Amino acid sequence: TTMARLTCITLAFVALIATGYGQQMATNTAEEHPKLSIGVCKEGDNGNCAKEQASITIDSNWRWTHVAEDYVNCYTGNVWDAEYCPDAATCTENCALDGVDATTWEQTYGITTWDEGDDSGMELVFVTEGPYSTNIGSRVYLLDTDDTNYRMFTLKNREFTMDVDVSGIGCGLNGAVYFVEMDRDGGLSEFDGNKCGSNYGTGYCDAQCPHDMKWISGEANCEDWQGADNDANSGTGHYGACCFEMDIWEANNMANSFTPHDCALTGYYRCEGTECGDNDSDERYDGVCDKDGCDWAVYRLGHQEFYGPGSEYTLDSTQPFTIVTQFITSDGTDSGDLVEVKRKYVQNGQVIDNPAANLPEGGISAFDSVTDEYCHDIKEYFGDVQDFALKGGLKDMGDALDRGVVLTLSLWDDHFAYMLWLDSQYPVEVPADTPGVQRGPCPTDGGRPEDLEANFADSSVKFMNLKFGPIDSTYAH
């Protein structure tokens, strides 16, 4: 059977209907993408890289979903409208995604960008009180120079560098930057029902196989949809969306980590049932993706003094700094296997090497980067499941990075585990002296979204001066 259509409505239409509500939007305004340049480096550039103009788009989950020929919501709060969405095919035929104009980016989503001389970047604000709704967090993707398709990165034997300012996000929040193996066009050519594509932020997937995506494989994910008990805007549907994920930076100003996550598949995949490995079931390690990943979390690895807010830390999270992530191959060429993920930092003109793990009692002290040997040994010591190796280890991650991945930047709070896995003791019920459970200094009763959204609404993170190129080309040293 032919899949029903997922229609895209631009703001030329929205502006006309919004006038009835007095909404302050210009007429005849189409989808607009804030500009954001990226540095494309070559050997010897030492950080002085050529700039290419790119842009960003916001994920389809954040967009207005309404009846295609009307301004009636198809999705309100965390519930699909049963009249228009009794099943996936009907819902997909009835409902449309909306465009976003320049004013909406800042006033509704709390996202601003700048691009002046050698300085370019974006700021994501946690909670934004718009004229008709409250927006929580955001997730955006980098588009290519065509302003339509996602920019695809191939990262083996390369490095990716960015400046960050995490001084404005504390315990329980996560300013995340990562790569996922999405389709370049967001599924536009793959799925007949998808008429929006990357231009409208469709096609998201990651190694958690998220069920909260409203649209998966060009169809509404409304069947078996359950609105979340503790999240007024989110819920879960029957399907999940899976793919490889390389976490470059998951952090607030108290803790940070970087983590590769493999999958036993290639590309974008719609899962259901056991293959999703859902978090709230006993099938976590039966799914197609490695949800734990092989994390390098400096606090968890015994360095409580390395990263934090203040000059007493080696890397001071109250000031901006540069993150360099290097993808090292077996033979130093683009065709070699990925064998190592290395990290360097630059702050106040000083290059800071990633510290070696400080866990001598576990025999882990020799490792200062992510390798297959490190992943095996640290999981043995922490008592974690060896799922990263079972899903293919660094070689398979390298293959995904070779096929091409999409840059994702987000700010979010955690309604499932309160971000304790990043910045506190996790799991909470495990004795505090158990190896690996101390992941950061934040309190175990913190990170509650209702507290963060009420009392830390103005939290924000900045991602700046994105660059990629050959090893040791993207930063001054």
Coordinates of all heavy atoms in Angstrom, one line a residue, residues 156 179 244-247 259-263 327 338 341 388 391-403 405:
K156 N 36.6 9.6 10.3 CA 37.8 8.8 10.5 C 39.1 9.5 10.1 O 39.1 10.2 9.0 CB 37.7 7.5 9.7 CG 37.0 6.4 10.5 CD 37.3 5.0 9.9 CE 37.5 4.9 8.5 NZ 37.6 3.5 8.0
F179 N 27.1 13.2 17.1 CA 26.8 12.8 15.7 C 26.0 11.5 15.7 O 26.2 10.6 16.4 CB 28.1 12.5 15.0 CG 29.0 13.7 14.7 CD1 30.0 14.1 15.6 CD2 28.8 14.6 13.6 CE1 30.8 15.2 15.4 CE2 29.5 15.7 13.4 CZ 30.6 16.0 14.3
F244 N 23.5 4.6 14.9 CA 24.8 4.8 15.5 C 24.8 6.2 16.1 O 24.3 7.2 15.5 CB 25.9 4.7 14.5 CG 26.5 3.3 14.3 CD1 25.8 2.4 13.5 CD2 27.6 2.9 15.0 CE1 26.3 1.1 13.3 CE2 28.1 1.6 14.8 CZ 27.4 0.7 14.0
E245 N 25.5 6.4 17.2 CA 25.6 7.7 17.9 C 27.0 7.9 18.5 O 27.5 7.0 19.2 CB 24.5 7.7 19.0 CG 24.6 8.9 19.9 CD 23.6 8.8 21.0 OE1 22.7 8.0 21.0 OE2 23.7 9.7 22.0
M246 N 27.6 9.0 18.2 CA 28.9 9.3 18.7 C 28.8 10.6 19.5 O 28.7 11.7 19.0 CB 30.0 9.5 17.6 CG 31.4 9.9 18.1 SD 32.2 8.7 19.1 CE 32.7 9.7 20.5
D247 N 28.7 10.4 20.9 CA 28.6 11.6 21.8 C 29.9 12.3 21.9 O 30.8 11.7 22.5 CB 28.0 11.1 23.1 CG 26.7 10.5 23.0 OD1 25.9 11.0 22.2 OD2 26.4 9.6 23.8
T259 N 31.2 9.6 24.5 CA 30.8 8.2 24.4 C 30.4 7.7 23.0 O 29.5 8.3 22.4 CB 29.6 7.9 25.3 OG1 29.8 8.5 26.6 CG2 29.3 6.4 25.5
P260 N 31.1 6.7 22.5 CA 30.6 6.0 21.3 C 29.5 5.0 21.6 O 29.6 4.3 22.6 CB 31.8 5.4 20.7 CG 32.7 5.1 21.9 CD 32.4 6.2 22.9
H261 N 28.5 4.9 20.8 CA 27.4 3.9 20.9 C 27.2 3.2 19.6 O 26.9 3.9 18.6 CB 26.1 4.6 21.3 CG 26.0 5.3 22.6 ND1 25.5 4.7 23.7 CD2 26.3 6.5 22.9 CE1 25.5 5.6 24.7 NE2 26.0 6.7 24.3
D262 N 27.4 1.9 19.5 CA 27.3 1.1 18.3 C 25.9 0.6 18.1 O 25.1 0.6 19.1 CB 28.2 -0.1 18.3 CG 29.7 0.3 18.0 OD1 29.9 1.4 17.6 OD2 30.5 -0.6 18.2
C263 N 25.6 0.2 16.9 CA 24.3 -0.5 16.6 C 24.7 -1.7 15.7 O 25.6 -1.7 14.9 CB 23.3 0.4 15.9 SG 22.7 1.7 16.9
F327 N 39.7 11.2 15.9 CA 39.4 9.9 15.6 C 40.5 9.2 14.9 O 40.8 9.4 13.7 CB 38.1 9.9 14.7 CG 36.9 10.5 15.4 CD1 36.7 11.9 15.3 CD2 36.1 9.7 16.2 CE1 35.6 12.4 16.0 CE2 35.0 10.3 16.9 CZ 34.8 11.7 16.8
L338 N 39.0 2.5 12.8 CA 39.1 3.4 13.9 C 39.6 2.6 15.1 O 39.0 1.5 15.4 CB 37.7 3.9 14.2 CG 37.6 4.9 15.4 CD1 38.3 6.2 15.2 CD2 36.1 5.1 15.8
V341 N 39.6 7.0 20.2 CA 39.0 8.4 20.2 C 39.7 9.1 21.3 O 39.7 8.8 22.5 CB 37.5 8.3 20.5 CG1 36.9 9.7 20.5 CG2 36.8 7.4 19.5
F388 N 29.2 -2.9 24.2 CA 29.9 -2.1 23.1 C 30.7 -3.1 22.2 O 30.6 -3.0 21.0 CB 30.8 -1.1 23.8 CG 31.5 -0.2 22.8 CD1 30.9 0.7 22.0 CD2 32.9 -0.3 22.6 CE1 31.5 1.5 21.1 CE2 33.6 0.4 21.7 CZ 32.9 1.4 20.9
K391 N 28.4 -5.2 20.0 CA 27.8 -4.5 18.9 C 28.9 -4.1 17.9 O 28.5 -3.4 16.9 CB 27.1 -3.3 19.4 CG 25.9 -3.6 20.3 CD 24.8 -4.4 19.5 CE 23.4 -4.4 20.3 NZ 23.5 -5.1 21.6
G392 N 30.2 -4.4 18.1 CA 31.2 -4.1 17.0 C 32.3 -3.3 17.4 O 33.2 -3.1 16.6
G393 N 32.3 -2.7 18.6 CA 33.4 -1.9 19.1 C 33.8 -0.7 18.2 O 32.9 -0.2 17.4
L394 N 35.0 -0.3 18.3 CA 35.4 1.0 17.6 C 35.4 0.8 16.1 O 35.2 1.7 15.3 CB 36.8 1.4 18.1 CG 36.8 2.1 19.4 CD1 38.2 2.6 19.8 CD2 35.9 3.3 19.4
K395 N 35.7 -0.4 15.6 CA 35.8 -0.6 14.2 C 34.4 -0.3 13.5 O 34.3 0.4 12.5 CB 36.1 -2.1 13.8 CG 36.2 -2.2 12.3 CD 36.4 -3.7 11.8 CE 36.5 -3.8 10.3 NZ 35.3 -3.2 9.6
D396 N 33.3 -0.8 14.1 CA 32.0 -0.5 13.6 C 31.6 0.9 13.8 O 30.9 1.5 12.9 CB 31.0 -1.5 14.2 CG 31.0 -2.9 13.7 OD1 31.9 -3.2 13.0 OD2 30.0 -3.6 13.9
M397 N 32.0 1.5 14.9 CA 31.8 3.0 15.0 C 32.5 3.7 13.9 O 32.0 4.7 13.3 CB 32.3 3.5 16.4 CG 32.2 5.0 16.5 SD 30.6 5.7 16.2 CE 29.7 5.1 17.6
G398 N 33.8 3.3 13.6 CA 34.5 4.0 12.5 C 33.8 3.8 11.1 O 33.8 4.7 10.3
D399 N 33.2 2.6 10.9 CA 32.5 2.4 9.7 C 31.3 3.3 9.5 O 31.0 3.9 8.4 CB 32.0 0.9 9.6 CG 33.2 0.0 9.4 OD1 34.3 0.4 9.1 OD2 33.0 -1.2 9.7
A400 N 30.6 3.6 10.7 CA 29.5 4.5 10.6 C 30.0 5.9 10.4 O 29.4 6.7 9.6 CB 28.7 4.5 11.9
L401 N 31.1 6.3 11.0 CA 31.7 7.6 10.8 C 32.2 7.8 9.3 O 32.2 8.9 8.8 CB 32.9 7.9 11.7 CG 32.5 7.9 13.2 CD1 33.8 8.2 14.0 CD2 31.4 8.9 13.6
D402 N 32.5 6.7 8.7 CA 32.9 6.7 7.3 C 31.7 6.9 6.4 O 31.8 7.5 5.3 CB 33.7 5.4 7.0 CG 34.8 5.6 6.0 OD1 35.3 6.8 5.8 OD2 35.2 4.7 5.3
R403 N 30.6 6.3 6.7 CA 29.4 6.4 5.9 C 28.8 7.8 5.9 O 28.1 8.2 5.0 CB 28.3 5.4 6.4 CG 28.7 3.9 6.1 CD 27.5 3.0 6.4 NE 27.1 3.0 7.8 CZ 27.6 2.1 8.7 NH1 28.5 1.2 8.3 NH2 27.2 2.1 10.0
V405 N 27.7 11.1 9.1 CA 26.9 11.3 10.3 C 26.5 12.8 10.3 O 27.2 13.6 9.7 CB 27.6 10.9 11.6 CG1 27.7 9.4 11.7 CG2 29.0 11.5 11.6

